[in-house]
Amino acid sequence: MNENVENLILTQLRDIRAEMAEMKAQATLDKHELVERLENIQTAVGGHSVMLNALAGYIGGMEHRIEQLEAKHDA
C-alpha cells in the first residue's frame, strides 16, 4: 500500500476509536443519570406512600365518626 492510503486508514481508525470512546463515556453518563432518576422516583413513591397511609387513616376516622352520628340519628 502506498503511504497516503496507510495514513488515511490510520486516520479513519483513530476517528473510529475516538467515536467509540465518546459513545462509551456517554453510555456511562446515561447509566448514572438513570440510576439517579430511579432513586428520585423511589424517594417520591416513598413520600406518596406515607401521604396515602395518612389519608387512609384520616378517612377511616371520618367513616367511624359518620357511623357514630348515623347510629345516634337512628336511635
Side-chain angles (χ1 to χ4, degrees):
M1 260 190 253
N2 78 31
E3 192 173 324
N4 288 336
V5 172
E6 288 178 8
N7 287 337
L8 181 60
I9 291 171
L10 290 175
T11 300
Q12 291 297 317
L13 288 173
R14 285 187 198 108
D15 289 345
I16 291 169
R17 284 184 180 155
E19 286 179 28
M20 288 175 62
E22 186 178 325
M23 288 173 27
K24 184 178 178 181
Q26 185 62 42
T28 301
L29 290 176
D30 289 344
K31 191 184 312 178
H32 292 303
E33 183 180 349
L34 180 60
V35 167
E36 183 178 329
R37 286 184 181 190
L38 285 173
E39 288 172 351
N40 290 341
I41 290 169
Q42 286 176 325
T43 301
V45 168
H48 290 123
S49 176
V50 169
M51 287 187 344
L52 286 173
N53 284 332
L55 284 171
Y58 178 77
I59 290 170
M62 295 297 285
E63 287 176 346
H64 180 71
R65 290 173 62 189
I66 290 170
E67 288 172 1
Q68 287 179 332
L69 288 171
E70 288 174 341
K72 283 184 185 178
H73 183 269
D74 291 341

